[in-house]
Structure formats: C-alpha cells, structure tokens
Amino acid sequence: MMAATPAAATPAAATPAAAPPATGAIGVPLARIEAREKVTGAARYAYEHQPDEVAYATAVPATIARGRISALDAAAAMEVPGVLAVLWHATAPRLQPVADGELAVLQSGRVAYRGQFVALVVAETLEAAREAERLVAIGYEPEEHDSLLREDHPGLYAPETVNPSFPAATSDGDVEAGLRAAAVAIDKTYRTPALHNNAMEPHATVALWDGDDLTCWDSNQGAPAHRATLAQVFGLDPARVRVISPHVGGGFGSKGSPRPQLVLAALAARVVARPVKLAVTRRQMWAVTGYRTPTIQRLRLGADAEGRLTAIAHDVVEQTSTVREFAEQTAVATRMMYAAPNRSTSHRLVALDVPTPSWMRAPGECPGMFALESAVDELAIAAGIDPIELRVRNEPEVDPHSGHRFSSRGLIACLREGAERFGWAGRDPAPGVRREGCRLVGTGVAASTYPVYRRGAQAFARAEPGGGFTVGVGAADIGTGARTALTQIAADALGAGVDEVRVELGDSALPRAPVAGGSAGTASWGTAVVKACRALRERLDGEHGGVVPPDGLRADADSEQDVADQEPMARHAFGAQFAEVKVDLDTGETEVSRLLGVFGVGRIVNPRTARSQLVGGMTMGMGMALLEESVLDPQFGDYVNHDLAGYHVACNADVRDIQAHWIDEEDPHLNPMGSKGIGEIGIVGTAAAIANAVHHATGIRVRELPIRLDDLLWAEAADGS
Amino acid sequence: MRPFAYEAAADADGAVAALARGTAAARYLGGGTNLVDLMRLGVEQPELLVDVTRLAHGAIEPLDGGGLRIGAEVRNSDCAADRAVRERFPVLAQALLAGASGQLRNLATTAGNLLQRTRCAYFQDVSKPCNKRAVGSGCPAIEGDHRNLAILGHSEACVATHPSDMAVALAALGARVVVRGPGGERTIAMPGLHRLPGDEPERDTVLEHGDLITAVEVPGLPWATRSRYRKVRDRASFAFAVVSVAAALDVDEAGGTVRDARLALGGVAHVPWRALAAEDALRGAPATRESFEAAAEAELAAAEPLRDNAFKVSLAHNLIVRTLLELAGA
C-alpha cells in the first residue's frame, strides 16, 4: 500500500544534479523528530517565551457590530496597580497601511464587526491587564448592523476573482440547453454554516524591540511571510525584523496570514519600551482570526439515461466583511471534477457587518465538494445508477476547464480500491431499509480532491566539520510533521541517514520560504531542500573528494525558476471517501460506524505522519458533517457559541473505525519527491459521504450542515418494522 | 481577574461562619470546575472564596432502609465508581459518567454538581444582556440561539436549562439535600432544591446566601436496581444533554402492570424535571408501549417549545418510551 520503492524518486526536469544513491529515507514511517520535546513540555510555543521585563497585554473587543467609537475613558483601568498603558485609536502610534485592513489595528474609530479589537491594555501581569480590560469604558455611536447571509440579499455582487486568483465565474456551452436535454436532472440548494478553525494553540505573540530591531516569537504558518508584512506595517527594512516560530500548535489556515495580535504586540512593546506578550483568547478567535464563510450553493445537474452528465451548474452565495474582501473559491473544484459539455459556475458575495472570513482547511474544495458530491449522489439515485459507476462514467480525459492533461488522476482507482476495502459490492441502493436493533444503517460515498500547488523557496544545506548535515529553510511545522518529512527528504537527497541531518525551520532568518498552506509545504520546501542537498553532495564529492573541509561546506538553492518553468498541466490529488452510519430511530443520533478514505496523493514521504494528516482531515470532515457550526445571532451580529463547549469538534468517542489508505501513484510531473499535498484533501468529501450515508440509512436528505438529530427524528423504517 | 480572598474551612460550621463574614459576593469553592470558569469570564466576581473540599464530607455511607448518604465533597468519579451506588442506584452512576469528562469528574463534587449554573451562551457572555446574570437586562435567548434551551417551565424572563446529569437522577430518586445554614441544619427534597425561573431567574435554587450543602441522602428504593439514565447529546462525549431521561421501573412480573415508576428529564427546564404526571399515569397501568406513550404525552402536554426547539418535545417523548420499554424488558 505504501510506496515501497524509494529508489523511484522521480527526477524533475529542472533538478540540476543526478540523484545520489537513495538511502531509503523517503517512505519510512519515521516518528516525529520533536515528539519527545513536545510530550515532555520542552518544546516552547510562542507565548511561553519569557524575555526579561516582559509585560502582558490583553485586547479589548468591540461590543457593537457597526458604528464608531466616540470616547474612551481609561481612568479606572489605569488605576489598577501594574497597568502600564491603555491604547486606542486616539493614542496608538500610526502604522503603515497594508493590503489586509484587519492589520490596521487601533488606527480608526470605525467598528466593522462585533469583537473587533478596539483597545489594548498593557500591564505588569496578565491578571492586572485582564482586570483593567474590564474597566476600560468605551463610548460607542452604534449604527444599524446587517450580519445575516441570505441568498436574496440586495448587496450581493460578483467579485473580480475568488481565492486566490481564480475567475469568479465560468461558462462553457449552454447549461440551460444541457438541462433541457437531460433525461434526469436535479436542482437543489445546499448550505454550510460558518466554521471556525480552532487550532489548539491560540494565536499568540511575544514582541521585543532592540532599538529599531524587532523580534517576535509568534504562532504562525510561515515566519518569512509574517516578517515581510510586519516590516511593512512598521515601515522597517525587513532585515531588522525577525519572526521565530519553531513550534506551532495547529493553524488550519488561520495562521497563514498575520493576525491583529502580531501587530498589537509589537506596537505595545514599542509604546511601553519593554517586551510584550499577547495571546488571542479562545473566545476572541471567533472574531479576529478568520473562519470559513457560510455558503448557500445551488447545484443543477442533468444527465442522459446512462448517467452521462449533460450539464453542471454550481452557483454560490457567501459572505465577506466590510474590512477586507475574502471570496471563498467554493465552486472551483466543480470546474474540473467531471466531464460535461455544458458547465457553469459563479460566486456572489455580500459584505456584511461580520468578522472577515479567511482560509480554513481546504477553502473552496471543502464546502463546495459537500454540495457537488451530495448532488451527484442525488443524481445517481434519480438515474438509478450506482453512485460509483456514475462517477466513473463522467471521468474527463483532460481538465474540462483548462484543457490541460492531468499529471495523474487517481479518482477511479481510489473509488475502486475503496469499494473493495469497504465492501461496497452488492449494496442495495434502497434508502431506509436496513435495521440493526433500533438503528437504521446506511452507506455513502463521495469523491475528494485538492489541487497540487508548489511555490518557489530557498534553502541551504551545510556539511558540518564535525560530521552531519544542517539544512535550513524558512518552513513551518504546524503539527503536520513537516520537520520530520523534510529531514527524510534531505537525507534522501544527501545520501545520508536521517540521524545525520538536522533541519532548521520556523525562523525568518532562514532562507525565504512560502507559508504552510494550500497543502504545498512539503512540495515547495522539499524542492528547494533537494536542490540544495544535491548541490552540496555534488560539491562535496566533486571538489572535496567527499571530505568535509575544516570550515564545513554550504550550498544554497532557490527553486523559484524551477517552479516557474514547470509544464502547464492539471495537477490535482483525488480521493474517495466511504462512510457507514447508524441512525437511532428514536433519537435521531447518528454514529459514523465506519469511515474509510483512499487517496491518490503521489508518493508518500512518511506514512506515519501522512496517515495522521489524512485521518485528521477526515475526522474534521466528520465534525463538519455532524457537529461544527458557528451560530450567528443577528441581534448582536456575532457568533454566540464562541467556546469549545458551545462549538463542538469531534471527540474520540465520535470516531469509531476510521481508515486512510493510498494507492501507488507515480507522478513524474510534480516535484523531486513525486509527492502531492496531504494536509487538506482528507476533509474534502467527508461530509458528503456522511450525508449520502444518512440518506441511504433514513431516506432523509439533509442539505444543510451540520446534520443534527433534529433533522432525523422523523425517520421511519421503510421495512415496516 | 480581580483580587479575591481565599479561606479554607476546617469544618461545616467554620465554612458557614466564614461565608457569613463575607459579603453577598462570597462563594463556596468545591471542585471549581464551573465557578472558576465563570470567574474567568467575569460572570462571577467573588470577593471571598471559602474552600469546602476539606470538611470531612467525603464519604459515602449506608442509610437505614437501603439508602446512601453521599458526602457533599465526594468527587463525581468516586461516586460513580462506588460499589453501593452502582448496585443500588445504577441510574445515578450512569448519570455521573454521562457528564463532563474524566478530568472534570475527578474534580467536581456532589454539591458543586448540583449547584452548577446554566451553560446558556448569553448567561456566559458579560457583553450581552441576561436576566439571570444582570437582573432586568433582558433575555436575548428568546429571540436568539435557543435550540438547546427549555421547553418546560420557562418564563418570559428566562429560558435557560439546568446542565447537570447527576441532578436528574437524584430528582428521579427523590434524594434529600442536607443543608447547613446560619440557622442550623435542614433537608430539602429533590427536585425541590432547584426552582423555575419565574420573574426571579437570578435564583437557581431555594438556598439562601450562606447555606452549605453537606450531603445528599438517597433513600432506599429496592427496585431502583432496575433503573437507567439515557442521555442524548450532539457529540458522543463531553457535551451537555439535548434531552436526558432518568428512569426506574417497578413492574409486577405476574400481572405485567407497573407498580411504581420514577421518571425525570434533563435538558428541558430550569430544573431537573421530575415527571410526576407521567409517573401518575404509569402507576397501575400495564407495562406496554401504549402505557408508556400515554405517560410521555401526559408529561409533555405542558411543553411550550421555543421557535427552534420543538424537536425536543418529540425527542423527550421517544426517549421516555424507549427507556421505559428497555426497563420493562430488562
């Protein structure tokens, strides 16, 4: 199952040197290199750094959803012993404007959403800061707010592009004609709620100024990118700014771009002339650290009598804030999933008085594929065709949108292998007919996909005089196992053992590298690391006879050109997700008794951490299907269930039999490792597989997530028992 | 956080005296699993905490007639694991284990569990109105997020639910709460400890300031060996009840009729809801699905669901019937 052929590292066209003898480091289930540090507490996270004289800040959130701050009385707050400063827009130093308006903290009295940071308290202790925070008296001029997404909202508009730079709408052929010609058609609307990333480690920063040199220990998905923005905000030469993030407790996209606390900590440290630490509280994470927009998605599918699609139309309504436009690319995956002569997609946004949505694990694909893959299931039922067979019949030869050929496309192989492993054969498609005691049992399937991205990066590799190698890259390990995977990749390229290689990452002083995002980390960083390691090996062997010179030897690499030169192709990972659910007839409770995913994700660098990524994504997808929902109260314009008691993420007891598998997939068009990203595909399609299984169990089609027992209480066994 | 004084009492009288010396903002501190959270949120701002976890109320002792006296300090995990509790009152052990998480149960005490506050989102957010927290400020839950709030006994002032699982079992078992106050000792029969919100939702219970729960007495009930707690929740663990049922059933095996029944509901009201109308309907009725459905309907006739929680009425109905059927067949 796992690729057992490490020698088959597929040399990308642009790799400079011939591959050295493989050491077998790639494909081995190496345990996390920093595992011991993490479980013993020795690994320090951002907030745990404790510079001398450090002061503590807390941010004050707005309690109106729209309006202006008319006054602020800090007198009572300043009387709390130990309080050093209270900052707001009238007193805070000016910052340079940057593209993300969320970073213009304390720069204006405008309140754009409830929970926006409008003041900051700095004190000798966290306790004093929190007490003073409570005493800051803010006068508001509230305005009427509008925070509820509706498909008929008069403010809906078509954005120019959707994240990151896709066209907002596409149209090929004539969808209406395709639907008219169809033997079977469906026209349904699906809804997904606002979802919050909720990484275990909240966003946190410790900022320290030394003259005009700024150092920040920060929790993020990419220290170099955070440094660049921070330098801009403070009008500094980036060389004077350093961001250090060796260990990060998750991000799921919410730490891919700087958050207000990074700027606020640095700003406060400058004002009080001391180091300052600031953490976003769990509750504040519902307002200031991004989330997945709610979506309203209309799907129209038409097919001929054999189930071949004649038309696909996917039209999306979603929200953004008035601070910054974020347009989730919800319908983009639909453009390349299935063949059909007539296809169209569109996105419309409305800017509401709400927090700014942003990236959350598989933005676009995750909510979009819930709708598409639910609709495909509905179409299969309407056409009387097995849902796997229907997908197979609509497999495109080339990317229907771009016309490019696929570098590899494992969807059918994943569906077939998943069907075999899951025991799909002989499935009775009739809904609501299988009983097990007081529960109805059903199974469902859905396709999964995620694009294969790669960005340019820099890295160095150094042979140390005392033996061993050091590899540096400004990468981030947000709990994914990146440090471990890069060690394996470097060892493989150096022809060395993994215990001879030390990887440095999580520091903007290291060679510039892109953020851990878009499932592109390993591919992007790995390309530069391999290039640096091979160059080092070549010089070491060619110029030094394999003997490390007394001062060591270093090679640097930049993969920018290699990435730019890659052949245009459709590069995507695919997968198939299978779910079995049991729904209680009396209570509507749904148990996902089995969840099985098979993925075509190229070559697996580390099966242990890969399995964690895939199973983690699937578990989060299960949470999306059944549990997770940020509940907006239109009276206040905020998400009211803003803690982990009110917002349910899946817990151990929810997860029964869960399995992630992968097919052998050799794709020579990706990167030197032959790998595809695995951080996000696991969450894509899971919710549809579960919703499809719930329908198969109960006959009830739930088109609005999460599926709650409220929806299923009215289930009746169709077998009359 | 604002400063507060902390005092560890040595015995019940000392605790009561210590609290009496404090202002109205003095609180007893048990496991702290709810109170400390509320302090962090600014919902509770005590000036004095009197630690009552070392008063020698940590034992479970037999009472005449097969009952048990459970000390106020007994940790929830210890109570759930106690052999006598598990054998005589399975419903109580099951209710305890259905609550919170292992870590929380290791800290939470018997008295603290009874006195925990509602988890209504508005109560827990000091930036919003809430009649229970800020008298007269209004109840946004009525128009807002109330899917998991009350369907029974709520008022225009408050639609909150009591979050405890244990209290539902104790209400069904007719437990007596032993209270030491400034005026001496008294007992309060469950479910009379908790009160409906009416126009005083700030008062969760009938206790007066300074009252200290020292024990809970569960009277002997031989047929409670046939009892169970069934909790429906959105997540398989670590979630408050959407609806729960505590039930015990005494069936005359020969005649197939119900001699007696105990029934209480959780997640539906400001109190653990003792289903007396259902119990009345069950007594003397044949132990059949029809009787159980009639009993559920008798109890739920009083339900007044809010905009988004009508499903709870059906859920409670189904859960009552299902649980009684399981007990009848056990």
Side-chain angles (χ1 to χ4, degrees), chain A residues 359-385:
Chain A
W359 304 310
M360 177 166 167
R361 205 172 199 170
E365 284 77 15
C366 178
M369 288 288 281
F370 163 67
L372 177 64
E373 292 300 293
S374 293
V376 167
D377 197 65
E378 297 205 55
L379 184 75
I381 291 167
I385 297 170

Side-chain angles (χ1 to χ4, degrees), chain A residues 3 50 133 137 173 256 552 623 638:
Chain A
Q50 196 70 14
E133 175 199 333
D638 72 343

Side-chain angles (χ1 to χ4, degrees), chain A residues 366-643:
Chain A
C366 178
M369 288 288 281
F370 163 67
L372 177 64
E373 292 300 293
S374 293
V376 167
D377 197 65
E378 297 205 55
L379 184 75
I381 291 167
I385 297 170
D386 178 81
I388 292 178
E389 189 53 35
L390 183 115
R391 288 176 173 91
V392 170
R393 287 182 196 176
N394 289 289
E395 179 77 351
E397 301 255 319
V398 296
D399 176 354
H401 178 60
S402 69
H404 293 312
R405 67 191 173 100
F406 288 100
S407 67
S408 57
R409 184 173 161 114
L411 176 58
I412 292 178
C414 290
L415 286 164
R416 295 286 190 224
E417 180 163 342
E420 180 68 30
R421 288 179 177 276
F422 189 77
W424 186 265
R427 172 184 184 263
D428 176 358
V433 296
R434 286 152 300 277
R435 282 283 293 267
E436 202 174 272
C438 288
R439 298 199 290 183
L440 292 167
V441 182
T443 53
V445 64
S448 185
T449 189
Y450 195 80
V452 176
Y453 295 121
R454 185 167 62 141
R455 305 184 190 99
Q458 299 173 351
F460 73 75
R462 195 170 62 226
E464 303 294 350
F469 299 91
T470 304
V471 171
V473 58
D477 189 332
I478 58 173
T480 54
R483 185 181 275 107
T484 308
L486 288 173
T487 302
Q488 293 173 264
I489 289 166
D492 188 76
L494 286 163
V498 289
D499 52 355
E500 296 176 80
V501 176
R502 197 167 66 87
V503 168
E504 295 179 348
L505 52 68
D507 188 339
S508 67
L510 292 164
R512 183 183 51 76
V515 298
S519 293
T522 301
S524 307
W525 310 322
T527 297
V529 164
V530 166
K531 193 172 179 179
C533 289
R534 287 184 185 169
L536 176 66
R537 173 50 71 190
E538 196 178 50
R539 282 182 57 202
L540 198 57
D541 293 346
E543 300 166 22
H544 300 276
V547 180
V548 180
D551 295 336
L553 187 66
R554 169 171 164 150
D556 288 83
D558 187 332
S559 66
E560 198 73 48
Q561 200 55 46
D562 310 50
V563 172
D565 288 348
Q566 72 183 6
E567 182 189 350
M569 290 184 105
R571 293 178 175 84
H572 301 268
F574 292 89
Q577 304 228 24
F578 293 78
E580 178 192 77
V581 302
K582 298 182 178 174
V583 180
D584 192 298
L585 271 163
D586 289 320
T587 65
E589 293 161 292
T590 297
E591 177 187 285
V592 181
S593 44
R594 290 196 290 146
L595 197 57
L596 186 150
V598 180
F599 302 94
V601 285
R603 189 173 173 216
I604 293 292
V605 174
N606 181 327
R608 182 193 302 232
T609 52
R611 178 166 283 110
S612 288
Q613 283 294 295
L614 295 168
V615 164
M618 292 164 70
T619 304
M620 205 164 170
M622 178 195 295
M624 176 189 183
L626 300 176
L627 301 169
E628 294 190 37
E629 176 183 20
S630 289
V631 179
L632 183 103
D633 184 339
Q635 298 172 106
F636 301 99
D638 72 343
Y639 294 105
V640 290
N641 56 332
H642 47 192
D643 59 36

Side-chain angles (χ1 to χ4, degrees), chain B:
Chain B
M1 190 184 293
R2 44 161 54 176
F4 58 87
Y6 170 90
E7 219 173 293
D11 54 36
D13 289 335
V16 172
L19 202 86
R21 285 196 297 275
T23 65
R27 293 283 183 275
Y28 293 121
L29 176 68
T33 57
N34 187 209
L35 177 59
V36 174
D37 281 355
L38 293 174
M39 289 167 67
R40 291 196 176 114
L41 294 171
V43 174
E44 287 279 1
Q45 299 184 345
E47 291 166 5
L48 169 67
L49 290 183
V50 178
D51 189 331
V52 292
T53 57
R54 276 165 273 178
L55 312 185
H57 297 153
I60 299 175
E61 295 157 332
L63 292 173
D64 290 345
L68 292 172
R69 181 185 169 93
I70 302 164
E73 293 166 34
V74 173
R75 307 288 173 170
N76 286 176
S77 7
D78 292 334
C79 190
D82 184 83
R83 191 185 187 98
V85 171
R86 284 187 292 139
E87 286 178 358
R88 297 179 200 184
F89 307 110
V91 63
L92 177 56
Q94 291 168 17
L96 283 160
L97 291 177
S101 66
Q103 292 92 330
L104 289 167
R105 292 194 295 270
N106 283 344
L107 270 177
T109 63
T110 306
N113 189 322
L114 284 174
L115 298 180
Q116 59 181 312
R117 313 296 308 273
T118 183
R119 296 318 198 275
C120 174
Y122 303 95
F123 173 72
Q124 296 185 94
D125 185 345
V126 296
S127 75
K128 293 180 180 139
C130 167
N131 287 324
K132 182 181 281 297
R133 189 190 65 243
V135 174
S137 59
C139 176
I142 290 170
E143 288 300 317
D145 178 28
H146 57 230
R147 171 181 171 269
N148 203 16
L149 297 180
I151 56 170
L152 284 161
H154 51 78
S155 71
E156 285 178 13
C158 183
V159 294
T161 50
H162 194 263
S164 171
D165 293 298
M166 183 192 77
V168 182
L170 291 176
L173 293 168
R176 296 183 297 263
V177 180
V178 184
V179 177
R180 183 83 56 92
E185 188 168 284
R186 67 190 194 280
T187 61
I188 301 166
M190 294 275 288
L193 175 69
H194 298 94
R195 57 184 297 287
L196 291 174
D199 53 10
E200 281 185 296
E202 68 277 13
R203 292 187 60 205
D204 290 357
T205 69
V206 300
L207 296 181
E208 299 295 335
H209 184 70
D211 281 344
L212 175 73
I213 295 176
T214 57
V216 172
E217 294 178 351
V218 186
L221 192 68
W223 48 274
T225 51
R226 188 189 278 195
S227 67
R228 71 172 55 191
Y229 188 73
R230 175 72 166 86
K231 175 179 182 177
V232 172
R233 46 189 150 184
D234 289 322
R235 177 164 62 185
S237 178
F238 206 5
F240 293 96
V242 176
V243 173
S244 67
V245 167
L249 196 64
D250 183 18
V251 179
D252 170 11
E253 300 297 348
T257 57
V258 175
R259 274 195 295 253
D260 204 353
R262 295 293 182 82
L263 200 64
L265 299 172
V268 296
H270 198 257
V271 301
W273 187 268
R274 177 78 177 266
L276 293 171
E279 291 178 14
D280 279 349
L282 287 168
R283 245 172 249 118
T288 61
R289 173 180 282 274
E290 291 67 34
S291 303
F292 300 156
E293 289 191 341
E297 278 157 28
E299 192 61 45
L300 294 166
E304 292 181 293
L306 306 166
R307 183 193 62 224
D308 293 333
N309 69 3
F311 74 96
K312 279 193 174 191
V313 182
S314 306
L315 178 57
H317 178 277
N318 292 356
L319 204 55
I320 291 169
V321 175
R322 165 88 155 264
T323 308
L324 292 173
L325 277 172
E326 286 170 356
L327 286 171

